[in-house]
Amino acid sequence: MSNVLFAALSALVLIGLVYRAASLFTFTAVVGLVALGFYGLGGLGQTGLVVFAAIYVPVALLLNVAGLRRAVLSAPIFKAFSKALPAMSQTEKDALEAGDTWWEAEMFGGKPEWSKLMNVKFTELTADEKSFLENETEQLCKMVDDWKVSFELKDLPEEVWNFMRKNKFFAMLISKEHGGLGFSPYAQSCVVAKIATRSLTASVTVMVPNSLGPGELIMHYGTDEQKKYWLPRLVDGTEIPCFGLTGPEVGSDASAIPDTGVVVKRKVNGKEELGIMLNFSKRYITLAPVATVVGLAFKLKDPNGLLGDPNKTEYGITCALLEANTPGVEIGRRHYPGAAFMNGPIFGKDVYIPLTSIIGGREMAGKGWRMLVECLSAGRGISLPALSAASGWGMYLATGAYARIRRQFKLPIGKFEGVQEATGKIAGLTYKLEASRILTATACAECAPSVITAMMKFHMTEMMREIILRSMDVHGGRTVILGPRNYLGQAYQAMPVAITVEGANIMTRNLIVFGQGAIRCHPWVLKEMQAAQNPNKAEGLRDFDKAFFGHLGHIVNRAIRALVLGLTGNRLAKSPVSGEMAPYAKAIERRSAALAFTADVAMGVLGGELKRRERLSARLGDVLSHLYMASAVIKYYETNGRSAEELVHAKWALEDSLAEIDKALNEFNRNFPNKAVGRLLSFVAFPFGMGKCKGPSDSLNADAAELLMTRNVFAERLLDKVFVGEGSSDPTGRILEAADKLLSIEPGYSNFLKAVSSGKVVGDGLEAQLKDAVEKRVIDAALAQGIREFEPMRFDAILTDDFSKEYLASAGAIPDVKMNVKPVVEYREAA
């Protein structure tokens, strides 16, 4: 064998070892064997071998003998790392370590173990949950007239409040042990989403007590006494809870809460006890105007050491529970956030509460931030994705129906390419929303995934915004005019609420997703940080040594993986499935490796500066988020039977996410401060140039748009989830009923219109045209009757509302007898 051939084979072997993440010892040993091979082939002389050995042996020993490596290499690095690591408060540590990681950690790690995802079993509804969804939830939806709620009453009717209390809508997350419904996160998601398809106000009212609020905090952290007293009262609706976190001076930076609680001594009923004197000002608090019990976050101080530690005067964020009628508490007037759900400010001046009011008791003093971060997953991972998905469901069905029945230039508007650009996007994004909703709800049932829920809060509400805007484009004036017929206007008005709550989207994208994900999802970074903070320096050094060299190996391995997969066109990547999804799974794995390498290099080069370069870190967060959503689409598609109609939706969603990933990586590399490093990152991620995925093609988008106008398998699945009222009593029901009628008379209806347009069928008005068409055998009598029934339905479905001046001036206090009355129309010609 020639030395050149041996060198090439050796290089391949070494690259292969790195690609497969061989151990340091194995790699070192093979390097030695390669040198001996060159010596045997004559490519390395005796002197050369001695020189090589003089370098190789000390280096091999230094790297592979743990004690020597720690003393010579790791110790000085550990010392420098410990000094460079910024000091963190206990609150910051709690926030960083709160929650769990799940599938997103596999995506961030660069070498996903696909079996973990494919073996996940989507949460299914129990018999009780299914019954509640089909009966109590359905009944609640029937009780709500969203126009009256949002415009006339500015509140839910009293009978609706009573129905929700009686049927435990506010106690879905409270366990059956304590009298609650004990529903899974998936069941909660389904209930909230179905209600949202009827009324945003009702949905938010149900959502809040089942997300961030006293019920969840007491369930997880409350003392036995607190659980025994409060949970039954929350279950039966005796108490309506709210939670005060946000204030005028604090929003996204919740750790900067200015509200204070000072530990004091006070005589109560003749006995001296420890308590807390509170002063606070909160706003944007949902359910505050009707709340009877208030959960509160504040900074606890103990200047006199009354809690037993004279050296600890600042305890940090603490959560407590107090009755709304506690002296000094003032429930302010209502905010009006564009929807009628209850929301308003809360104030407190010199409010005294006993120490036992701390959720979890005095042992939980100062641990409120971790409690909040862990419990935020309910709002971020269940409720807001449910609202977003519900908007997608409704717009998919209603916009598809409208695009089919609304005609211009003698064609359904859904046939025009400009409209299809919007409707195809609605179809694909709704599919991505639903896949992400179900996977995330399943994750919330298995753990408390803090990173996933932040990702989904941002991206799912942004997809909802895009769907609503594109639906507005398709409907035009039909949804500009508010009224009982309008199924989109209220969603458009209230859309900013979801974008803003539970961490405003700008903050969530730029600070949380990658900021927390880079540390929590990385296999080594958190371990390095924890080792540096270990007060036992010897133990910390041992842990740091293992983590640091594991980290170095991880960087090299992911660089080689990304480059090799790119050079081979993903052929060496793994796929958990066969068929149409296999190329997408391989593309995801390659980009996962590119993300892992890019993130490590960025953290290494920029260090703490990366946190301040929010544009850069946000793009890496986008990559991680779309990797997660793309894998969710594959999982959802494979689980639901791989139908041809579903394939169009899945491909659109995957092409869209892959394009967003490539765009984010390209923009990250192009804007990286060190241009040479940026070019290196680009080469590793895209060795043949920029990412090739440009998003869904025109033909794929057109296929999705065509499917949107049909009762395809995905549409049928959505119909099972939404509330659809009967005909004219419900705006969505009205449009869907008309569309279903049209589907029952197609393609004969189109042939009839063509015959009228060409002059083959004549007549003054619809009835005369139908008669002529039957006589000329263009259509039969049954089809004529179907068209006769459809035309009034079609015309009624595209109408908008109008009101008297008095009704609008009175904000609905004076009834408008003409409102919602079906018009009588004499048709002069076929539309």
Side-chain angles (χ1 to χ4, degrees):
M1 180 184 294
S2 70
N3 284 299
V4 173
L5 180 58
F6 183 75
L9 291 174
S10 298
L12 287 176
V13 169
L14 293 174
I15 291 172
L17 289 173
V18 175
Y19 180 85
R20 298 185 65 84
S23 68
L24 179 60
F25 177 82
T26 300
F27 185 82
T28 306
V30 171
V31 169
L33 291 174
V34 168
L36 291 175
F38 272 113
Y39 175 74
L41 290 171
L44 186 66
Q46 190 170 6
T47 302
L49 182 62
V50 171
V51 172
F52 173 80
I55 299 171
Y56 170 80
V57 172
V59 172
L61 291 173
L62 185 61
L63 292 176
N64 289 280
V65 178
L68 181 62
R69 183 181 66 228
R70 283 197 297 268
V72 177
L73 295 178
S74 298
I77 298 172
F78 178 60
K79 184 177 180 180
F81 182 83
S82 300
K83 286 183 177 181
L85 191 66
M88 285 193 292
S89 66
Q90 187 59 47
T91 296
E92 290 174 317
K93 291 179 182 178
D94 287 344
L96 185 61
E97 296 175 3
D100 306 301
T101 58
W102 200 62
W103 173 246
E104 82 284 16
E106 292 290 323
M107 290 284 97
F108 192 92
K111 191 179 180 182
E113 189 176 331
W114 284 104
S115 61
K116 290 184 178 180
L117 176 66
M118 304 313 293
N119 290 337
V120 167
K121 186 177 181 182
F122 284 150
T123 305
E124 297 180 355
L125 296 175
T126 65
D128 287 345
E129 292 167 345
K130 187 176 182 182
S131 175
F132 189 87
L133 198 62
E134 294 174 348
N135 294 288
E136 286 87 347
T137 307
E138 184 80 7
Q139 181 60 34
L140 174 62
C141 291
K142 290 179 180 178
M143 295 173 68
V144 178
D145 183 323
D146 197 49
W147 174 252
K148 288 184 178 180
V149 166
S150 60
F151 184 74
E152 296 180 3
L153 299 176
K154 300 294 193 298
D155 189 7
L156 294 167
E158 187 61 31
E159 59 267 26
V160 173
W161 279 103
N162 291 334
F163 182 83
M164 291 191 294
R165 286 188 177 98
K166 178 182 177 182
N167 291 280
K168 304 182 180 181
F169 277 88
F170 301 147
M172 288 191 288
L173 64 78
I174 297 176
S175 68
K176 293 182 178 180
E177 174 189 356
H178 296 286
L181 295 176
F183 282 179
S184 68
Y186 176 64
Q188 294 175 49
S189 173
C190 291
V191 171
V192 168
K194 184 168 187 175
I195 299 171
T197 63
R198 177 57 164 168
S199 167
L200 178 70
T201 295
S203 183
V204 171
T205 302
V206 169
M207 175 185 88
V208 169
N210 291 289
S211 54
L212 178 61
E216 185 175 19
L217 291 171
I218 293 173
M219 277 287 298
H220 284 88
Y221 308 105
T223 64
D224 290 339
E225 292 77 11
Q226 289 169 340
K227 291 178 181 178
K228 185 176 180 180
Y229 178 79
W230 287 111
L231 292 180
R233 300 170 67 83
L234 292 169
V235 165
D236 66 15
T238 301
E239 307 287 359
I240 299 295
C242 70
F243 193 89
L245 177 60
T246 306
E249 298 290 347
V250 58
S252 299
D253 184 11
S255 64
I257 289 174
D259 311 291
T260 59
V262 179
V263 180
V264 297
K265 281 185 179 180
R266 172 174 283 200
K267 278 192 175 182
V268 178
N269 297 324
K271 294 183 179 180
E272 191 174 71
E273 70 174 23
L274 287 181
I276 302 171
M277 191 65 71
L278 294 168
N279 285 279
F280 57 88
S281 175
K282 304 290 187 180
R283 67 176 177 182
Y284 307 151
I285 310 305
T286 301
L287 296 187
V290 294
T292 61
V293 57
V294 178
L296 200 69
F298 56 91
K299 282 188 174 177
L300 182 64
K301 301 181 178 182
D302 184 19
N304 299 312
L306 298 177
L307 293 179
D309 187 348
N311 297 317
K312 189 173 183 180
T313 60
E314 302 279 346
Y315 276 78
I317 296 175
T318 301
C319 296
L321 201 61
L322 57 150
E323 294 180 354
N325 60 4
T326 301
V329 174
E330 178 189 350
I331 303 294
R333 300 189 302 174
R334 286 180 62 180
H335 299 313
Y336 191 63
F341 62 84
M342 290 292 172
N343 190 278
I346 305 174
F347 311 99
K349 182 173 177 57
D350 296 332
V351 178
Y352 175 81
I353 60 173
L355 209 60
T356 54
S357 295
I358 295 176
I359 297 176
R362 64 188 295 170
E363 292 77 13
M364 297 302 290
K367 298 180 181 179
W369 188 234
R370 180 166 191 145
M371 294 162 59
L372 293 172
V373 171
E374 290 181 343
C375 289
L376 275 171
S377 62
R380 288 176 176 168
I382 301 172
S383 298
L384 289 171
L387 290 181
S388 301
S391 296
W393 301 347
M395 292 308 100
Y396 184 104
L397 296 170
T399 306
Y402 186 79
R404 189 170 187 88
I405 68 172
R406 180 74 165 127
R407 302 179 72 89
Q408 294 284 277
F409 306 105
K410 304 185 187 303
L411 280 174
I413 62 171
K415 295 291 184 179
F416 291 94
E417 287 192 2
V419 173
Q420 287 187 342
E421 188 172 0
T423 55
K425 180 172 287 190
I426 293 169
L429 290 180
T430 300
Y431 193 83
K432 192 189 299 188
L433 274 173
E434 183 64 355
S436 300
R437 178 188 77 94
I438 293 177
L439 184 64
T440 302
T442 299
C444 289
E446 295 190 6
C447 59
S450 56
V451 179
I452 286 177
T453 53
M455 293 190 306
M456 292 303 94
K457 190 277 169 182
F458 169 71
H459 285 281
M460 292 188 73
T461 55
E462 288 295 333
M463 285 190 283
M464 173 193 69
R465 172 154 53 182
E466 181 70 11
I467 288 171
I468 291 174
L469 291 176
R470 298 293 75 78
S471 296
M472 293 286 289
D473 291 344
V474 175
H475 285 81
R478 173 67 177 78
T479 50
V480 171
I481 307 302
L482 297 178
R485 294 172 174 274
N486 192 331
Y487 42 74
L488 182 53
Q490 183 64 20
Y492 177 79
Q493 280 190 316
M495 178 176 60
V497 174
I499 301 296
T500 303
V501 300
E502 302 283 17
N505 275 8
I506 287 178
M507 184 273 293
T508 302
R509 176 177 180 258
N510 288 275
L511 295 178
I512 294 180
V513 174
F514 184 77
Q516 190 174 33
I519 296 173
R520 291 307 311 279
C521 296
H522 197 287
W524 299 111
V525 168
L526 184 58
K527 294 176 182 177
E528 291 169 330
M529 294 174 64
Q530 290 170 334
Q533 294 163 352
N534 191 334
N536 185 327
K537 295 303 179 183
E539 185 179 276
L541 176 58
R542 284 196 300 271
D543 293 342
F544 180 81
D545 172 76
K546 181 179 179 180
F548 180 75
F549 279 92
H551 194 164
L552 287 180
H554 174 82
I555 295 173
V556 177
N557 170 259
R558 295 320 188 248
I560 294 298
R561 280 186 61 81
L563 183 59
V564 169
L565 293 176
L567 290 171
T568 59
N570 304 334
R571 289 178 179 83
L572 297 182
K574 294 180 180 178
S575 170
V577 295
S578 58
E580 297 281 357
M581 291 295 104
Y584 292 108
K586 292 182 176 184
I588 290 170
E589 180 162 313
R590 171 189 160 196
R591 287 161 175 81
S592 172
L595 170 64
F597 176 66
T598 301
D600 267 320
V601 171
M603 288 188 287
V605 173
L606 297 178
E609 181 68 17
L610 181 58
K611 181 179 180 180
R612 290 181 288 276
R613 290 185 176 269
E614 296 174 16
R615 292 184 182 91
L616 292 178
S617 61
R619 289 170 181 135
L620 294 183
D622 289 345
V623 175
L624 177 60
S625 301
H626 279 283
L627 287 171
Y628 174 82
M629 290 187 288
S631 57
V633 168
I634 291 177
K635 171 70 175 174
Y636 184 72
Y637 171 79
E638 293 290 328
T639 302
N640 283 294
R642 297 175 153 198
S643 73
E645 294 169 342
E646 196 135 358
L647 178 63
V648 172
H649 293 81
K651 279 188 170 183
W652 194 103
L654 288 164
E655 293 282 350
D656 182 64
S657 276
L658 290 173
E660 290 297 324
I661 291 169
D662 289 358
K663 175 184 175 183
L665 285 173
N666 282 318
E667 288 301 301
F668 179 91
N669 298 335
R670 184 170 72 89
N671 289 282
F672 198 78
N674 187 313
K675 298 304 179 184
V677 173
R679 286 191 289 271
L680 170 65
L681 294 173
S682 291
F683 174 71
V684 171
F686 307 112
F688 294 117
M690 291 180 62
K692 294 183 178 180
C693 193
K694 306 301 181 185
S697 65
D698 287 350
S699 61
L700 179 60
N701 195 75
D703 290 342
E706 290 286 346
L707 284 171
L708 186 80
M709 295 189 291
T710 70
R711 285 291 176 264
N712 62 79
V713 292
F714 182 57
E716 292 291 348
R717 197 178 306 138
L718 297 185
L719 274 171
D720 288 339
K721 299 174 186 293
V722 303
F723 172 78
V724 179
E726 296 179 0
S728 60
S729 67
D730 174 62
T732 304
R734 177 188 279 114
I735 194 82
L736 294 183
E737 184 180 47
D740 286 342
K741 184 65 179 178
L742 176 58
L743 289 173
S744 72
I745 59 175
E746 287 281 28
Y749 177 68
S750 294
N751 293 334
F752 166 71
L753 294 179
K754 290 177 183 177
V756 173
S757 178
S758 66
K760 184 177 181 180
V761 169
V762 297
D764 185 15
L766 177 66
E767 193 59 43
Q769 292 167 355
L770 290 174
K771 182 178 179 181
D772 188 52
V774 171
E775 290 175 351
K776 293 177 178 177
R777 296 186 179 182
V778 173
I779 59 174
D780 58 24
L783 179 57
Q785 181 59 29
I787 296 172
R788 191 175 290 113
E789 294 169 356
F790 167 70
E791 276 297 321
M793 295 170 66
R794 178 196 64 79
F795 190 75
D796 179 57
I798 64 175
L799 290 179
T800 52
D801 294 288
D802 56 84
F803 307 99
S804 68
K805 179 175 66 174
E806 293 76 16
Y807 176 78
L808 293 177
S810 66
I814 300 174
D816 187 334
V817 294
K818 293 183 179 180
M819 185 179 66
N820 213 24
V821 175
K822 218 171 186 179
V824 177
V825 179
E826 180 182 355
Y827 296 94
R828 302 302 301 170
E829 60 181 1

